[in-house]
Amino acid sequence: VTAVTASGTTFPDGSTGGSGNFSTTLTERVRLQGTVSITTGTGRTESSSFALDYDPVHTLESSLGLLAGNYQRFDRPTATLNINSAGVRFGQDPVSGCVLNGQASLLDSRFSVYRMTWTYSSCGGASAVLNGVPITALAAYDNSDTPPGIAVFGNGRSGGNVLALTLLFNKT
């Protein structure tokens, strides 16, 4: 696997890239766990492990009408997202200047997992690399909590780099 740090960040040794191994073990409907080991550009090895326990939230029913509404980003409440009942997405982040336009669609109405696509524009500063990049994502909607929320896991390509995004939103 090839690793590249997020724009403006580095590994602890100051390098911005490396290569290594990524391995996982999946126990269906129980856990996904794995390890990643990256040797950075300076030869230092960075290793980490993870474990994700199964959450049956994805088995909740889904519909674009259920998903429709206004959202705030969990870690930055001024960043907002609107999804209408046809799945049209519009969002803004006044900190980065980013505007996003896109679409949400159902994968299977028996499961609370959605396909989302969008493109960023008007991003400034370090976020300017996102301008014009098409993003494809999976999103899980959880209305079993108060407030309901969306977890979005997406990626896109800018130049030769893969951008990975994890965004959490609360319904307002």
Side-chain angles (χ1 to χ4, degrees), residues 3-49:
V4 178
T5 61
S7 179
T9 66
T10 65
F11 286 111
D13 67 359
S15 63
T16 59
S19 62
N21 297 304
F22 180 78
S23 64
T24 61
T25 303
L26 174 67
T27 306
E28 190 173 338
R29 297 183 189 262
V30 176
R31 173 177 276 197
L32 171 66
Q33 59 191 31
T35 59
V36 63
S37 178
I38 302 294
T39 301
T40 67
T42 64
R44 180 176 170 169
T45 299
E46 300 287 338
S47 297
S48 185
S49 60

Side-chain angles (χ1 to χ4, degrees), residues 80-112:
T80 59
L81 173 68
N82 173 272
I83 303 172
N84 74 18
S85 61
V88 176
R89 293 173 39 113
F90 171 78
Q92 293 180 265
D93 181 349
V95 174
S96 67
C98 291
V99 173
L100 70 87
N101 288 286
Q103 184 70 39
S105 58
L106 293 177
L107 290 172
D108 185 324
S109 62
R110 297 174 297 162
F111 304 104
S112 188

Side-chain angles (χ1 to χ4, degrees), residues 63-142:
S63 74
L64 291 176
L66 184 65
L67 188 65
N70 295 310
Y71 296 85
Q72 292 177 321
R73 207 166 106 183
F74 178 77
D75 63 334
R76 192 181 306 167
T78 58
T80 59
L81 173 68
N82 173 272
I83 303 172
N84 74 18
S85 61
V88 176
R89 293 173 39 113
F90 171 78
Q92 293 180 265
D93 181 349
V95 174
S96 67
C98 291
V99 173
L100 70 87
N101 288 286
Q103 184 70 39
S105 58
L106 293 177
L107 290 172
D108 185 324
S109 62
R110 297 174 297 162
F111 304 104
S112 188
V113 179
Y114 299 82
R115 180 177 192 268
M116 294 190 174
T117 58
W118 69 90
T119 302
Y120 286 104
S121 62
S122 303
C123 299
S127 297
V129 67
L130 296 171
N131 287 325
V133 176
I135 304 293
T136 301
L138 289 177
Y141 177 72
D142 182 0

Side-chain angles (χ1 to χ4, degrees), residues 56-67:
V57 70
H58 80 279
T59 62
L60 298 171
E61 288 185 35
S62 65
S63 74
L64 291 176
L66 184 65
L67 188 65

